[in-house]
Amino acid sequence: MVILTLNCSSSVKYQVYDWDKKDVLANGIVERVTIGGSFITHKVRGRPDYEVEHECPNHIVAIELILKTLVDPEVGVIPDLSMIKAVGHRMVHGGSKFAKSSIINGDFLETFKSLNELAPLHNPANLMGVEAAKTILPDVPHCAVMDTAWHQTMPASSYMYALPREWYEKYMVRRYGFHGTSFLYNAKRAAVLLGKDPFETNLIIAHIGNGSSINAVKNGCSYDTSMGLTPLEGLVMGTRSGDIDPGIIFHVMRKTGMTASEIEKKLNKESGVLGLTTKWADRRDVENAAEKGDPIAILAQQVESYRIKKYIGAYYAALGHVDAIVFTAGVGEMGPDIRRLAIEGLEELGIIVDEKKNALAKCRNAELDITGAGSKVRVFVIPTDEELVMTEDTVALINGTYDVHTNYRYYFENRDYVNKARAEGLQRDLEKKPWLKDIVARIP
């Protein structure tokens, strides 16, 4: 059973997964969809990456390009499209109407369109991807995996804002949270690494990438999260501001005459690390500059990590007891400076990182343990796998076995679960970095 997963925005990310063999056949991305200069990067384990320019004025052309590549005699991985049995779509904002993954049928698309105003930068692109894929592959099931679904367990004390109640009742203004598939995967894997029942596990998970959020997990369920009505609230991100005084918006509008749309663009596209440095959103650039003593880069790291530290402290207080801190996503997995700065000074809370292990923990093919001696709280670096959650939800939906995560056990929760591609990658990493074996997390 081959499952295709799609994540559509201004790019289209894809993965092809053989469910019977539990193996990734290919993954890749079509970049710059609708904006010119489009190209595809196609990755197959054991082969050189395949990259070619191809203009994609819309998502239909982009998905056609993906499918053509998948069956190409030279670079493809399946003989024909009939091998694809279902398509899973990442959908960013399900509001309160979609509390779990769903098969896309009936009135689904119209209902989802009604939520566009909650995520104007994301939902319309998700919809275009679904409509394009259904046009090209009309005879297979299409499934929606909601980024917000994981957070449906939050209590009202976590998701309600202290705003006029009619805003909640009429306009659905509340905290929803995002990065749900990443948090679900990491929560389940952290429980495995701890040797605990996931529903007896308290965690703080920091998904740090271009978009960043942090999640308090109480007894295996989302209890609070830093993103809110939109993905703009919370941590400092690549180009998003995260938490600010709302009065700043009115002050700048009065001073400059900027419109609400212009302010929204500034907060989403020109703030965060980019706003602080004026030239960098990629944390690798910031890290390189900081190592050379650039004061603006150093400040950007300090501001970003301090925000993470404040949330860790707040969520520790909210949970009362924490079994582990988990860092994940691009920066969380590969950014030792941000991890170190976010954790240092938390020794009184029983959170200690081994500085040497943390500095060495730059590997996307293994779950790593960077806990320091004497720490009461474990500290893990876990490579996320949102596509695997999307794939398994899709398989379960078409097989009729799907349920919310509190009633469903994912196969990657098994102690003997192995990601074949990452296992092979780790062996290559160990040839160059043999010390990694000393920080690979051990399952008890």
Side-chain angles (χ1 to χ4, degrees):
M1 182 185 292
V2 173
I3 304 296
L4 170 66
T5 55
L6 298 172
N7 180 354
C8 296
S9 57
S10 58
S11 62
V12 180
K13 296 178 183 178
Y14 65 92
Q15 179 172 283
V16 185
Y17 194 92
D18 187 326
W19 182 253
D20 297 324
K21 295 181 180 178
K22 302 293 189 295
D23 199 10
V24 176
L25 300 179
N27 57 54
I29 185 170
V30 180
E31 301 209 48
R32 300 184 60 83
V33 179
T34 76
I35 58 178
S38 315
F39 62 95
I40 186 171
T41 302
H42 178 69
K43 298 176 180 289
V44 180
R45 192 163 78 251
R47 302 183 196 169
D49 291 353
Y50 170 75
E51 188 171 298
V52 65
E53 295 181 1
H54 189 291
E55 283 304 318
C56 297
N58 55 54
H59 287 77
I60 289 181
V61 176
I63 294 172
E64 285 177 339
L65 174 60
I66 291 168
L67 296 176
K68 179 181 177 182
T69 303
L70 294 180
V71 298
D72 184 274
E74 294 185 7
V75 300
V77 291
I78 55 176
D80 57 72
L81 296 181
S82 66
M83 295 283 291
I84 297 174
K85 300 304 179 186
V87 182
H89 297 265
R90 182 202 181 205
M91 312 295 276
V92 168
H93 209 315
S96 298
K97 297 184 178 182
F98 297 102
K100 59 183 181 179
S101 299
S102 308
I103 293 178
I104 300 172
N105 54 25
D107 298 328
F108 177 93
L109 291 180
E110 287 304 312
T111 303
F112 192 78
K113 283 179 184 177
S114 71
L115 303 171
N116 277 358
E117 61 186 359
L118 294 179
L121 301 177
H122 299 84
N123 276 22
N126 294 162
L127 279 166
M128 285 189 284
V130 171
E131 290 169 339
K134 285 178 70 69
T135 298
I136 301 167
L137 294 170
D139 299 322
V140 301
H142 290 255
C143 301
V145 182
M146 299 293 171
D147 223 17
T148 49
W150 164 257
H151 300 293
Q152 291 296 314
T153 54
M154 288 192 298
S157 56
S158 294
Y159 70 69
M160 286 296 291
Y161 291 111
L163 294 168
R165 189 166 183 84
E166 66 175 341
W167 292 8
Y168 169 67
E169 295 172 342
K170 291 183 178 180
Y171 312 123
M172 300 181 286
V173 174
R174 52 156 286 185
R175 181 180 308 284
Y176 291 99
F178 301 89
H179 294 136
T181 49
S182 177
F183 288 133
L184 186 155
Y185 178 81
N186 278 276
K188 304 300 186 183
R189 289 304 302 165
V192 173
L193 297 180
L194 290 164
K196 296 192 65 170
D197 182 325
F199 301 112
E200 296 177 358
T201 304
N202 285 6
L203 306 163
I204 298 173
I205 307 174
H207 177 110
I208 314 297
N210 188 50
S212 303
S213 67
I214 192 164
N215 186 204
V217 178
K218 187 172 186 177
N219 295 325
C221 296
S222 180
Y223 184 76
D224 200 355
T225 193
S226 58
M227 284 182 170
L229 173 73
T230 74
L232 183 57
E233 188 182 357
L235 301 180
V236 175
M237 306 175 222
T239 63
R240 292 178 226 163
S241 66
D243 295 338
I244 63 167
D245 173 0
I248 292 170
I249 296 171
F250 312 121
H251 174 72
V252 173
M253 291 177 78
R254 284 192 292 266
K255 287 289 186 180
T256 65
M258 292 174 69
T259 65
S261 295
E262 290 170 334
I263 288 284
E264 183 177 44
K265 181 182 178 182
K266 287 286 184 183
L267 294 178
N268 277 288
K269 302 288 189 179
E270 301 174 33
S271 297
V273 174
L274 178 61
L276 282 165
T277 65
T278 73
K279 51 188 173 183
W280 300 306
D282 191 316
R283 303 329 190 282
R284 292 169 294 190
D285 295 329
V286 177
E287 185 177 298
N288 290 336
E291 288 175 354
K292 297 174 183 175
D294 186 296
I296 297 299
I298 293 170
L299 176 62
Q301 286 189 328
Q302 291 171 337
V303 171
E304 180 177 15
S305 58
Y306 181 60
R307 185 76 57 82
I308 298 168
K309 180 183 293 187
K310 287 206 295 185
Y311 268 96
I312 289 173
Y315 286 167
Y316 198 119
L319 295 171
H321 167 77
V322 176
D323 295 295
I325 310 290
V326 177
F327 288 95
T328 193
V331 180
E333 296 164 23
M334 300 295 285
D337 287 351
I338 292 296
R339 294 193 302 254
R340 173 179 55 80
L341 292 168
I343 294 294
E344 69 180 13
L346 299 181
E347 293 84 1
E348 288 295 318
L349 297 179
I351 306 172
I352 304 170
V353 164
D354 184 301
E355 291 190 13
K356 182 178 179 181
K357 290 180 179 178
N358 177 60
L360 296 175
K362 296 179 71 173
C363 172
R364 310 196 74 166
N365 289 312
E367 297 163 333
L368 307 176
D369 188 340
I370 59 172
T371 311
S375 183
K376 295 188 296 185
V377 179
R378 302 284 291 280
V379 185
F380 296 125
V381 180
I382 300 178
T384 196
D385 201 336
E386 296 165 284
E387 290 80 10
L388 182 56
V389 176
M390 293 169 61
T391 297
E392 183 156 0
D393 279 11
T394 299
V395 171
L397 281 166
I398 64 176
N399 286 342
T401 58
Y402 173 78
D403 205 340
V404 292
H405 79 95
T406 51
N407 299 326
Y408 180 87
R409 182 177 174 85
Y410 285 84
Y411 99 91
F412 53 79
E413 295 183 61
N414 297 327
R415 293 183 76 259
D416 58 353
Y417 160 72
V418 174
N419 181 312
K420 295 178 182 178
R422 286 179 176 168
E424 292 178 14
L426 178 60
Q427 291 307 309
R428 294 191 295 272
D429 290 339
L430 287 170
E431 292 175 4
K432 300 176 182 177
K433 305 173 182 178
W435 60 82
L436 282 172
K437 68 179 185 300
D438 297 326
I439 56 175
V440 171
R442 310 298 178 187
I443 298 173

